[in-house]
Amino acid sequence: MKKIIVIVLLLFIPNQASAASKAPILLYHWIDEYNGYGQKELYVTPENFEKQMDFLKKNGYTLLTFERFEEIDKVNKPIFITFDDGWKDNLNALSVFKRLKEKKFAPSGTIFAISDFVGRPERLSASELKSLAHSGYFSIQSHTATHPNLTKTTNLDYELKHSKEKIEQITGKPVIALAYPYGSYNSKVVAETKKFYQYGLTTIPGPFAKKQLHDELFLLPRIYVNYSTSLKEFAQLVK
Ligand SMILES: [Zn+2]
């Protein structure tokens, strides 16, 4: 009788592997107070960002970078935190990650840098990108060389291959993921991206769910977190 109860109980223990084939990939840009430059909704204040990361910590999420993509089937509540455009204020995210780090919570995120813009005013410098890449908190990946609409550019090789090589030179680490500027792609862009990368990120809304579809790793969806996103809304976004 006891044996039967144990077996019945085992059947009802949630299976992490099947529960985890879905993973939200969050999209941030500026982590700063809105200062009048650019679109306000693309900012998240450091205070709100900290509340959001703390929510993930308290609710047992595992923050992954693309080097660990295969772990989405193995870890509890996988989630990716991504930052586009390589803004200097992403250093505020580093401070938040450092504050929240604990034995059981290892925060990490991915910065998609624009290789030709590295070191411009308000953008992360090469030495900052290098130290972020070696901090244990960030992976630095490519957002192309000049941030064009890839479906219209005439120099795909420069945007894809050169940007990858330049960022690898800066950080000394492999670049395996590309975020398409403006989320724009077509079949040619995807085919070219596959030559140099293992992952391509769009702005198709919603969480990633493994469906074994053709090219699904090059059409990864992302969820915008905005200036006006409340913590209650955030909780819904990562559900
Ligand atoms: Zn961008």
Side-chain angles (χ1 to χ4, degrees):
M1 186 61 184
K2 260 187 185 167
K3 256 187 193 165
I4 291 169
I5 291 170
V6 169
I7 290 166
V8 170
L9 278 176
L10 279 174
L11 286 173
F12 285 94
I13 290 174
N15 180 341
Q16 271 196 9
S18 68
S21 41
K22 208 175 92 173
I25 306 172
L26 303 185
L27 172 52
Y28 293 89
H29 290 80
W30 286 288
I31 304 298
D32 209 349
E33 304 293 338
Y34 177 60
N35 57 20
Y37 176 81
Q39 279 182 58
K40 188 175 185 182
E41 282 292 16
L42 295 184
Y43 284 72
V44 170
T45 66
E47 193 190 340
N48 282 347
F49 183 73
E50 183 149 0
K51 283 181 189 160
Q52 292 161 5
M53 294 305 109
D54 195 47
F55 175 89
L56 300 179
K57 177 178 173 173
K58 289 192 173 120
N59 289 278
Y61 284 81
T62 306
L63 277 52
L64 294 176
T65 56
F66 294 90
E67 293 83 355
R68 298 174 61 196
F69 192 86
E70 292 302 321
E71 291 180 41
I72 63 171
D73 293 328
K74 296 172 191 140
V75 301
N76 194 34
K77 294 186 174 179
I79 191 164
F80 295 80
I81 313 298
T82 71
F83 305 85
D84 276 12
D85 300 342
W87 297 108
K88 204 180 269 294
D89 63 34
N90 291 177
L91 293 170
N92 291 327
L94 173 67
S95 308
V96 169
F97 282 171
K98 283 182 175 171
R99 273 200 291 279
L100 294 178
K101 187 181 171 73
E102 262 175 29
K103 227 178 184 178
K104 279 189 171 170
F105 184 69
S108 63
T110 303
I111 290 173
F112 287 95
I114 305 159
S115 60
D116 279 7
F117 294 3
V118 172
R120 286 191 184 178
E122 309 304 324
R123 309 269 179 174
L124 291 159
S125 68
S127 66
E128 285 165 337
L129 287 172
K130 186 177 180 183
S131 81
L132 285 168
H134 291 267
S135 68
Y137 293 98
F138 284 94
S139 168
I140 312 300
Q141 300 294 316
S142 173
H143 197 28
T144 72
T146 69
H147 205 272
N149 178 334
L150 290 175
T151 67
K152 294 187 178 139
T153 187
T154 51
N155 204 345
L156 269 181
D157 207 54
Y158 184 77
E159 297 296 342
L160 303 178
K161 183 164 176 272
H162 172 80
S163 67
K164 171 187 163 85
E165 289 169 353
K166 187 169 171 191
I167 295 166
E168 287 178 341
Q169 255 173 29
I170 290 171
T171 64
K173 301 215 169 186
V175 169
I176 57 169
L178 175 85
Y180 308 115
Y182 316 105
S184 298
Y185 63 91
N186 57 21
S187 54
K188 188 183 173 201
V189 169
V190 169
E192 286 301 306
T193 302
K194 279 167 103 169
K195 292 181 184 170
F196 309 108
Y197 298 88
Q198 295 171 39
Y199 305 99
L201 290 95
T202 70
T203 51
I204 300 166
F208 171 69
K210 227 183 222 176
K211 294 178 192 138
Q212 312 292 356
L213 292 177
H214 184 61
D215 286 342
E216 68 182 354
L217 298 181
F218 293 89
L219 301 171
L220 295 175
R222 287 196 289 178
I223 299 167
Y224 273 94
V225 184
N226 293 327
Y227 190 85
S228 60
T229 304
S230 68
L231 194 59
K232 206 175 159 189
E233 286 165 347
F234 181 82
Q236 288 299 316
L237 291 177
V238 299
K239 221 172 174 179

